[in-house]
């Protein structure tokens, strides 16, 4: 086979493999989304409440209790299996779902359940609108197609298969942009993204859009690094990606800041060479990013009291700001406290925060692997991006920005941890004052996968210098190591989550 034909054949085979990974990721999310009942402990009820409001064209104006319409869905379909144990119920077993029983038999249970849920305040009401607007339209489409009851709820969850598949494809495009001649990156990044066991993707939650939105922005940043003459189109796409990332989740602000620093620095350099092109691109960014973001900030300022709605939310959660001098008393400034923060955050970032029977779905051994491997490969990627002679300047910058995006996001959560006295809040709390909700780092998933896979390759090259000359082995061995990691985390996910499939409350038992 000729060289050109070989490359063409390999290219088509590679794209087919990536497409297969997208399908596998979508199927995995579909199956686990169907296995978990409603409503999970990661504020799924609050996000659903916002979807019901957006479905009627109503944008929340304050922090209010759950809407009556929301309660009409929660009461019959909510499962107690997330936060309670069977021993807390008569006969040592969970009662059958309310939606499987006749109303006269469970009238008292319905009233009690409704009274319990009706006191919950929706502190997510000030969150940006993009996910809720999309999910509400998706929900209406399902209802128009005839889906009712619990099937209608699961239809909202099944929306998650789309951003997950897109995330895997975006990871491939970004890896191919960074390393077009590196099979380890081109295949490794989408492979890791397809199997990362983050269970936020199995629930109704606005975090699921963050990887796609910032992944698109990260791809735009790479185009800014590669080109010396930006176009109005690139500026417009960059602005829209910035707006989408911000309007998905406020916790994406750190990664947006990193992207803006890179883009502005490139703009200043380019504008000196070609002022007209630079100003046109800058104008496109401002128009496409500032207008939607500014409009939402103005709305939030008038409805919630500040540009992000954070002040009222902090008061609602019973947090108080500590004096600056008290920040430094936080246990995160001790070796043990720093490791608790990092290990808890990395475990949550990899596998999520869903509880079952009152306990986190986790395996301590696997959690340890998440913490150690993430730290080791982050350091390896940073060292490799500086020392590896085979990397181009563009590749060094790309890996460095990926690592920086992740580190800034982690640093942001560390800053939140030391800033506040968490009062009577359950998580974080005074006893465990660490902001370790890994789903808040979802926007950095693709950059994380990029430096994680590159870190594996760099360590292999570093400790196996004799094999560096063998090109195929060079790529095959890091991919084999990554494959072992993927099998390890996938088997762990199946073992830790297998019990949820037996729930009478889930989609498989409709």
């Amino acid at each position: 086979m000729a060289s050109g034909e070989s490359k063409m054949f390999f290219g088509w085979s590679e794209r087919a493999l990536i497409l297969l990974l997208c399908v596998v990721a979508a199927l995995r999310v579909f199956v686990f989304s169907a296995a978990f009942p409603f409503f999970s402990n990661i504020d799924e009820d609050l996000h659903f409440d916002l979807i019901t409001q957006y479905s009627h064209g109503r944008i929340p104006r304050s922090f209010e209790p759950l809407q009556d319409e929301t309660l009409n869905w929660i009461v019959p379909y909510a499962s107690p299996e997330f936060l309670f144990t069977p021993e807390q119920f008569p006969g040592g077993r969970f009662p059958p779902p309310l939606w499987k029983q006749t109303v006269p038999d469970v009238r008292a249970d319905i009233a009690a359940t409704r009274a319990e849920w009706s006191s919950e305040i929706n502190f997510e009401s000030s969150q940006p609108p993009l996910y809720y607007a999309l999910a509400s339209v998706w929900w209406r489409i399902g209802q128009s197609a005839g889906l009712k009851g619990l099937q209608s709820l699961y239809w909202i969850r099944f929306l998650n298969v789309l951003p997950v598949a897109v995330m895997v494809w975006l990871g491939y495009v970004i890896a191919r942009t960074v390393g077009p001649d590196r099979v380890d990156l081109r295949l490794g990044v989408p492979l890791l993204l397809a199997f990362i066991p983050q269970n936020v993707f199995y629930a109704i939650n606005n975090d699921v859009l963050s990887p796609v939105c910032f992944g698109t922005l990260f791809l735009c940043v790479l185009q800014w690094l590669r080109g010396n003459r930006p176009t109005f189109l690139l500026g417009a796409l960059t602005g829209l990606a910035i707006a989408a990332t911000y309007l998905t989740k406020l916790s994406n602000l750190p990664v947006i800041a990193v992207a803006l620093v890179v883009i502005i620095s490139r703009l200043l350099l380019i504008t000196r060479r070609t002022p007209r092109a630079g100003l046109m691109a800058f104008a496109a960014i401002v128009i496409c990013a500032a207008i939607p973001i500014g409009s939402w900030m103005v709305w939030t300022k008038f409805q919630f009291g500040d540009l992000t709605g954070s002040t009222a939310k902090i008061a609602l959660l019973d947090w108080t700001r500590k004096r600056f001098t008290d920040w430094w008393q936080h246990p995160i400034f001790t070796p043990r406290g720093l490791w608790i923060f990092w290990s808890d955050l990395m475990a949550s970032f990899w596998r999520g925060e869903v509880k079952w029977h009152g306990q986190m779905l986790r395996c301590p051994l696997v959690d340890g692997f998440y913490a150690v491997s993430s730290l080791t490969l982050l350091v390896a990627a940073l060292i490799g991006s500086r020392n590896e002679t085979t990397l181009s300047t563009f590749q060094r910058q790309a890996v460095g920005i990926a690592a920086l995006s992740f580190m800034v996001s982690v640093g942001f959560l560390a800053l939140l941890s030391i800033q506040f006295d968490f009062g009577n809040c359950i998580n974080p709390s005074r006893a465990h004052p660490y902001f370790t909700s890994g789903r808040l780092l979802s926007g950095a998933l693709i950059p994380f996968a990029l430096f994680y896979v590159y870190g594996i390759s760099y360590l292999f090259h570093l400790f196996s210098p004799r094999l560096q000359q063998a090109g195929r082995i060079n790529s095959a061995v890091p991919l084999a190591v990554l494959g072992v990691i993927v099998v390890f985390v996938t088997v762990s996910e199946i073992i830790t989550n297998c019990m949820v499939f037996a729930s009478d409350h889930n989609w498989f038992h409709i």
Side-chain angles (χ1 to χ4, degrees):
M1 184 179 291
S3 175
E5 293 175 343
S6 176
K7 288 181 179 178
M8 183 178 295
F9 175 78
F10 182 76
W12 279 110
S13 299
E14 183 172 291
R15 287 181 176 84
L17 178 59
I18 302 305
L19 182 60
L20 177 61
L21 286 176
C22 293
V23 173
V24 170
L27 285 174
R28 181 178 63 84
V29 169
F30 175 82
V31 170
F32 280 103
S33 296
F36 281 96
F38 281 88
F39 288 83
S40 72
N41 61 286
I42 51 174
D43 303 328
E44 191 170 25
D45 58 316
L46 306 185
H47 296 291
F48 173 69
D49 181 54
L50 294 181
I51 291 172
T52 62
Q53 294 186 57
Y54 275 83
S55 70
H56 296 294
R58 185 171 65 249
I59 302 176
R61 297 172 178 267
S62 61
F63 298 107
E64 298 177 346
L66 297 179
Q67 303 293 304
D68 286 338
E69 182 182 358
T70 305
L71 294 173
N72 292 338
W73 288 91
I74 289 178
V75 170
Y77 299 119
S79 169
E81 295 164 298
F82 292 103
L83 299 178
F84 298 95
T85 63
E87 292 74 23
Q88 294 175 272
F89 294 87
R93 58 181 301 174
F94 289 108
L98 292 178
W99 52 273
K100 290 185 177 182
Q101 304 177 62
T102 57
V103 174
D105 296 335
V106 292
R107 196 180 304 275
D109 292 335
I110 289 175
T113 303
R114 191 179 188 90
E116 183 176 351
W117 283 92
S118 61
S119 61
E120 185 164 6
I121 305 295
N122 193 337
F123 54 78
E124 298 285 1
S125 296
S126 61
Q127 279 291 324
L130 183 58
Y131 169 78
Y132 305 110
L134 292 175
S136 65
V137 171
W138 176 261
W139 192 29
R140 288 305 184 194
I141 291 174
Q143 291 176 324
S144 299
L147 296 178
K148 298 179 181 179
L150 193 56
Q151 289 183 333
S152 179
L153 286 179
Y154 274 104
W155 174 254
I156 304 176
R157 269 208 196 151
F158 294 155
L159 173 63
N160 295 353
V161 304
L162 299 178
V164 164
V166 173
M167 176 184 72
V168 174
W169 185 260
L170 258 179
Y172 168 67
V173 174
I174 288 171
R176 188 181 61 186
T177 302
V178 174
D181 57 342
R182 296 192 58 151
V183 179
D184 52 346
L185 292 183
R186 297 201 313 268
L187 299 184
V189 171
L191 176 64
L192 179 60
L193 291 170
F195 289 95
I196 194 161
Q198 172 55 261
N199 55 35
V200 74
F201 292 113
Y202 313 149
I204 296 173
N205 199 288
N206 60 348
D207 293 285
V208 299
L209 275 187
S210 293
V212 171
C213 292
F214 183 69
T216 304
L217 178 55
F218 187 57
L219 183 59
C220 290
V221 169
L222 295 180
Q223 301 307 317
W224 281 93
L225 291 175
R226 293 175 67 187
N228 292 319
R229 190 178 179 85
T231 63
F232 183 86
L233 178 60
L234 177 59
L237 291 175
T238 302
L240 291 174
I242 292 171
T245 305
Y246 179 86
L247 294 176
T248 294
K249 188 87 173 183
L250 290 176
S251 58
N252 290 329
L253 276 173
V255 289
I256 293 175
V258 172
L260 282 175
V261 169
V262 176
I263 292 167
I264 291 172
S265 63
R266 288 294 297 168
L267 258 176
L268 292 174
L269 181 63
I270 292 169
T271 303
R272 292 175 187 172
R273 299 173 181 171
T274 54
R276 179 179 175 81
L279 290 175
M280 289 291 289
F282 177 72
I285 293 174
V286 171
I287 292 171
C288 294
I291 292 177
I293 292 176
S295 300
W296 178 253
M297 284 184 169
V298 170
W299 167 271
T300 309
K301 169 67 176 177
F302 279 100
Q303 304 302 329
F304 294 92
D306 63 272
L307 295 178
T308 63
S310 299
T311 302
K313 180 177 179 178
I314 288 169
L316 180 65
L317 293 172
D318 195 33
W319 299 357
T320 54
R321 295 186 183 274
K322 296 191 294 187
R323 294 179 302 175
F324 181 72
T325 54
D326 293 334
W327 290 13
W328 315 108
Q329 308 302 317
H330 196 281
I332 203 172
F333 295 108
T334 65
R336 181 176 181 273
L338 182 59
W339 179 250
I340 289 173
F341 169 74
W342 173 263
S343 59
D344 286 0
L345 180 59
M346 287 304 98
S348 175
F349 173 72
W350 276 81
R351 48 96 169 132
E353 305 162 60
V354 175
K355 293 183 177 181
W356 193 253
H357 296 183
Q359 300 295 322
M360 199 74 71
L361 286 168
R362 61 187 291 267
C363 172
L365 174 65
V366 181
D367 283 359
F369 168 78
Y370 293 150
V372 172
S373 69
S374 299
L375 180 59
T376 301
L377 295 176
L378 172 61
V379 173
L382 290 172
I383 295 174
S385 65
R386 287 180 57 87
N387 296 341
E388 190 174 356
T389 57
T390 59
L391 290 184
S392 66
T393 300
F394 168 68
Q395 289 173 327
R396 295 179 194 278
Q397 292 173 336
V399 174
I401 292 169
L404 181 62
S405 299
F406 186 75
M407 290 190 296
V408 168
S409 296
V410 172
F412 178 68
L413 296 187
L415 178 63
L416 291 179
S417 298
I418 66 176
Q419 262 191 317
F420 296 101
D421 179 333
F422 295 108
N424 296 319
C425 189
I426 298 174
N427 182 34
S429 64
R430 285 175 175 170
H432 189 79
Y434 303 98
F435 225 102
T436 55
S437 293
R439 55 196 164 98
L440 300 181
L441 304 179
S442 296
L445 262 173
I446 294 178
F448 172 83
L450 178 63
F451 78 69
Y452 192 92
V453 174
Y454 171 71
I456 293 174
S457 298
Y458 176 69
L459 285 180
F460 171 73
H461 295 160
L462 186 65
F463 293 110
S464 304
R466 293 183 180 179
L467 297 178
Q468 289 188 34
Q469 305 303 320
R472 291 186 178 180
I473 299 177
N474 219 10
S475 297
V477 176
L479 281 174
V481 172
L482 181 62
V484 172
I485 292 174
V486 165
V487 171
F488 175 66
V489 300
T490 301
V491 171
S492 168
E493 179 181 35
I494 293 172
I495 292 173
T496 55
N497 293 331
C498 64
M499 63 188 74
V500 306
F501 285 85
S503 171
D504 288 335
H505 296 257
N506 67 22
W507 186 73
F508 297 115
H509 293 86
I510 293 179

